[in-house]
């Protein structure tokens, strides 16, 4: 289907102002003025689709949009109903007058993943990548902390490739060996082949993606915050990718399993989400590209990183092995000084197609 292709450590106080848990632990937003261009980009990505879900997603997001009648006609055609043609009461607003103000965000339609996600790798030392489809979702939460709100509709206009797992120590070592990375973090005796690299700051992560880009000739980077949450949710609209509540032995965190853990586990030990990504909840907290902002007011409504705000602090997503389950929700977000290393912080990469 084109649509499918397209904080606290246990015992610490509640977070303050979004600070990462080891240091400190809505209403729907109407689409911004860029909604019209986002609508066109999203329509162009699905207009030749043969999947009913793609057009239904468009109608959920833009019920009175520029292409709503055409989307309904395509739905009827795909589902075998009579194609009644355009309505005689067609009333399309010009793009510069588009004023979509839904009372509440339209719930995203769950994306049914391919049973075996395609995985690729650009070199023997490179991370494995999984194709993440284009689509749309409602980002944030009104049930968590104030800095997770307001919920806002985001369109991911084009597919991208994302690291199937967190970057491992062995993958990091290749960067150090070739002179692309200047810091060699310890493994604390856990082993380097399949365990995630941690104790790296945002600058370290940026060094790695720059080296990987130069090595492969491809464009590697950190994910944006919106790309990260979209990939973590994998079509779900619940607190966790698997449902509304934490389930035992789904992730590596304090209180997520039968035994407490005090360090990262090997990547891929716990089940993947519906997009085939491992450890999007727990194990290592993951750096993304974005600067920290105390709310989602005026946040991007597309896949771009938010590069305004408190840029001496960068965003971490997903929670870590030393956090309790509430900080592993798909909407959970934290901040950390960009140049400070911490033993629970790691990352994964995105590669542009």
């Amino acid at each position: 289907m084109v649509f499918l292709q397209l904080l606290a450590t246990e015992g610490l106080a509640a977070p303050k102002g979004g600070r990462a848990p080891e240091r400190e632990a809505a209403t729907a937003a109407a689409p911004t003025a860029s909604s019209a261009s986002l609508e066109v980009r999203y329509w162009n990505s699905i207009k030749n689709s043969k999947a009913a879900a793609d057009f239904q997603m468009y109608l959920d997001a833009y019920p009175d949009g520029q292409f709503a009648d055409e989307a309904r006609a395509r739905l009827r055609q795909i589902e075998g109903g009579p194609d009644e043609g355009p309505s005689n009461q067609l009333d399309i607003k010009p793009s510069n007058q588009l004023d979509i103000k839904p009372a509440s965000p339209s719930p995203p339609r769950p994306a049914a993943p391919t049973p075996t996600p395609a995985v690729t790798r650009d070199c023997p030392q490179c991370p494995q990548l999984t194709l993440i489809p284009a689509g749309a979702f409602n980002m944030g939460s009104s049930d968590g902390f104030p800095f997770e709100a307001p919920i806002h509709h985001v369109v991911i206009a084009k597919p991208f490739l994302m690291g199937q797992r967190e970057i491992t120590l062995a993958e990091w070592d290749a960067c150090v060996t070739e002179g692309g990375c200047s810091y060699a973090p310890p493994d604390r005796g856990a082993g380097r082949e399949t365990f995630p690299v941690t104790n790296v700051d945002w600058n370290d992560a940026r060094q790695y993606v720059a080296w990987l880009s130069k090595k492969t000739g491809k464009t590697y980077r950190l994910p944006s915050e919106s790309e990260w949450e979209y990939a973590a949710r994998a079509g779900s609209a619940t607190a966790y990718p698997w449902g509304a509540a934490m389930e035992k032995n789904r992730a590596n965190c304090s209180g997520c399993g039968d035994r407490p853990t005090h360090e990262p586990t090997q990547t891929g030990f716990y089940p993947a989400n519906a997009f085939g990504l491992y450890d999007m909840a727990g194990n290592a907290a993951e750096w993304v590209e974005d600067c920290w902002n105390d709310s989602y007011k005026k946040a991007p409504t597309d896949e771009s990183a938010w590069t305004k705000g408190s840029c001496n602090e960068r965003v971490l997503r997903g929670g870590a092995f030393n956090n309790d389950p509430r900080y592993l929700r798909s909407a959970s977000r934290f901040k950390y000084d960009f140049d400070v290393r911490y033993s629970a912080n790691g990352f994964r990469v995105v590669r542009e197609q």
Side-chain angles (χ1 to χ4, degrees):
M1 296 169 67
V2 171
F3 169 67
L4 296 179
Q5 296 172 342
L6 200 67
L7 278 164
T9 58
E10 191 173 47
L12 291 185
K16 299 177 182 178
R19 177 64 61 181
E22 62 280 351
R23 303 179 61 179
E24 295 179 32
T27 54
T32 66
S34 64
S35 292
S37 61
L38 288 173
E39 178 190 1
V40 172
R41 289 167 61 193
Y42 181 47
W43 176 256
N44 287 339
S45 74
I46 68 163
K47 64 183 179 181
N48 296 319
S49 173
K50 297 180 180 179
D54 292 336
F55 296 100
Q56 187 60 60
M57 170 66 83
Y58 170 84
L59 290 169
D60 287 346
Y62 305 104
D64 299 314
Q66 298 179 71
F67 313 103
D69 283 77
E70 188 173 350
R72 292 186 182 98
R74 293 286 288 119
L75 266 178
R76 288 192 295 269
Q77 184 181 50
I78 292 169
E79 294 174 348
D83 188 348
E84 299 171 2
S87 166
N88 291 330
Q89 299 179 1
L90 185 64
D91 182 15
I92 300 175
K93 296 179 181 180
S95 60
N96 61 355
Q97 298 178 20
L98 193 64
D99 185 22
I100 303 172
K101 295 183 179 179
S104 61
S106 302
R109 293 177 64 85
T114 53
T116 306
V119 176
T120 188
R121 175 181 274 164
D122 290 326
C123 71
Q125 300 82 24
C126 295
Q128 288 185 323
L129 304 169
T130 297
L131 181 65
I132 306 300
F137 75 113
N138 293 326
M139 183 174 178
S141 172
S142 57
D143 300 323
F145 300 104
F147 45 83
E148 298 171 4
I151 297 172
H152 55 293
H153 194 69
V154 173
V155 174
I156 306 296
K158 58 184 179 181
F160 59 94
L161 291 158
M162 192 172 208
Q164 187 183 40
R165 304 165 189 252
E166 294 158 338
I167 294 300
T168 66
L169 281 157
E171 289 162 348
W172 181 270
D173 288 345
C175 180
V176 174
T177 299
E178 295 188 11
C181 297
S182 57
Y183 170 66
D187 58 22
R188 301 191 301 278
R192 305 186 78 82
E193 189 62 35
T194 59
F195 283 78
V197 63
T198 56
N199 203 38
V200 289
D201 64 25
W202 185 83
N203 281 331
D204 294 327
R206 294 264 295 182
Q207 274 191 343
Y208 180 85
V209 294
W211 165 77
L212 206 51
S213 297
K214 183 177 180 180
K215 180 179 180 66
T216 64
K218 309 285 187 179
T219 302
Y220 280 85
R221 55 179 173 80
L222 294 176
S224 69
E225 193 172 4
S226 55
E227 286 173 331
W228 193 98
E229 186 170 328
Y230 174 71
R233 289 186 178 278
S236 68
T238 50
Y240 301 92
W242 53 80
M246 174 56 69
E247 297 175 1
K248 278 195 171 184
N249 302 317
R250 284 278 194 173
N252 178 21
C253 83
S254 178
C256 290
D258 295 325
R259 297 182 303 174
T261 57
H262 304 289
E263 60 185 17
T265 57
Q266 57 186 313
T267 60
F269 182 82
Y270 293 93
N273 72 7
F275 282 164
L277 301 172
Y278 294 98
D279 301 310
M280 295 296 283
N283 213 29
E286 299 179 15
W287 291 108
V288 295
E289 181 68 23
D290 302 50
C291 302
W292 176 259
N293 286 270
D294 286 332
S295 80
Y296 283 134
K297 292 178 181 178
K298 299 183 180 180
T301 55
D302 61 9
E303 65 272 19
S304 60
W306 200 356
T307 55
K308 295 181 179 179
S310 178
C311 294
N312 286 330
E313 299 170 308
R314 296 285 172 160
V315 179
L316 288 159
R317 298 299 302 255
F321 61 87
N322 57 353
N323 299 147
D324 69 53
R326 60 183 163 161
Y327 300 118
L328 272 67
R329 295 172 298 110
S330 297
S332 292
R333 59 193 299 260
F334 330 109
K335 65 182 178 181
Y336 213 87
D337 293 337
F338 78 103
D339 57 352
V340 175
R341 298 177 178 127
Y342 179 67
S343 61
N345 296 346
F347 68 103
R348 76 180 67 220
V349 300
V350 156
R351 198 205 86 187
E352 296 180 5
Q353 285 196 296

